[in-house]
Amino acid sequence: MNFKTHILFAFLIVLYTKDYFHGGIGFVILVVIGSLLPDLDETKSYLGQRVFLIPWLSKLLFGHRGVYHSILFGLGIGYLVNLVVGYVSGVALFIGYVSHLIMDGLTKEGVALFWPLKWKMKGFVKTGSFLENVIFGIVFILILAKII
Ligand SMILES: [Zn+2]
């Protein structure tokens, strides 16, 4: 999925989770950041084009949609943020991370959600296709429905 779809879906998830965790704007920002982090393993991704060296190295070592696109890695990053910043921040980052995995799990390429297990969550959406735009529109409508 494209970064815009990831951000929009993360925002939808924020609307349903931030009150539970008493999250403010920092919570929202961390969820959105978390929703972009898995694509640090792709040099052509939105984040991959803006971060120096890490995407190139990550893609070389692990490949795109490898370990970075797993719940295990998301848990690890969330746990580190929990230790350094705090529990709610770690949870926010993890929520965003998982939102990314869910959306990529709808694509034909899929994600190895439970890496190192090889099983992949797969769908039928091609990244950047009309169908992704339809999903984007549905998520947008769900956001409006929640806000209004
Ligand atoms: Zn991805």
Side-chain angles (χ1 to χ4, degrees):
M1 296 277 181
N2 288 320
F3 82 98
K4 290 176 191 171
T5 309
H6 284 302
I7 289 175
L8 200 68
F9 185 64
F11 190 69
L12 176 67
I13 300 298
V14 159
L15 292 177
Y16 285 93
T17 55
K18 77 175 179 55
D19 290 343
Y20 182 79
F21 292 103
H22 308 289
I25 188 68
F27 185 87
V28 176
I29 291 169
L30 282 170
V31 171
V32 170
I33 289 172
S35 77
L36 295 176
L37 282 180
D39 280 344
L40 266 178
D41 65 5
E42 173 54 64
T43 53
K44 292 175 185 151
S45 71
Y46 178 80
L47 204 58
Q49 291 177 340
R50 287 158 177 80
V51 174
F52 176 69
L53 195 61
I54 295 171
W56 179 82
L57 208 57
S58 302
K59 189 173 185 177
L60 183 74
L61 293 174
F62 308 112
H64 180 48
R65 294 199 180 186
V67 64
Y68 280 30
H69 281 72
S70 70
I71 287 181
L72 189 64
F73 201 84
L75 275 174
I77 288 186
Y79 183 69
L80 283 177
V81 171
N82 165 47
L83 291 177
V84 175
V85 185
Y87 174 72
V88 174
S89 298
V91 169
L93 207 75
F94 180 69
I95 288 172
Y97 211 93
V98 171
S99 79
H100 183 109
L101 302 180
I102 291 169
M103 292 309 275
D104 276 358
L106 298 175
T107 64
K108 289 177 180 175
E109 193 180 0
V111 289
L113 209 55
F114 302 109
W115 183 95
L117 298 179
K118 293 199 182 302
W119 176 83
K120 281 191 169 187
M121 176 183 172
K122 284 182 182 179
F124 47 86
V125 180
K126 187 170 185 268
T127 300
S129 68
F130 174 74
L131 195 52
E132 180 175 345
N133 292 335
V134 170
I135 290 170
F136 185 92
I138 291 170
V139 172
F140 187 74
I141 289 168
L142 289 174
I143 287 171
L144 288 181
K146 178 71 176 166
I147 292 174
I148 296 173

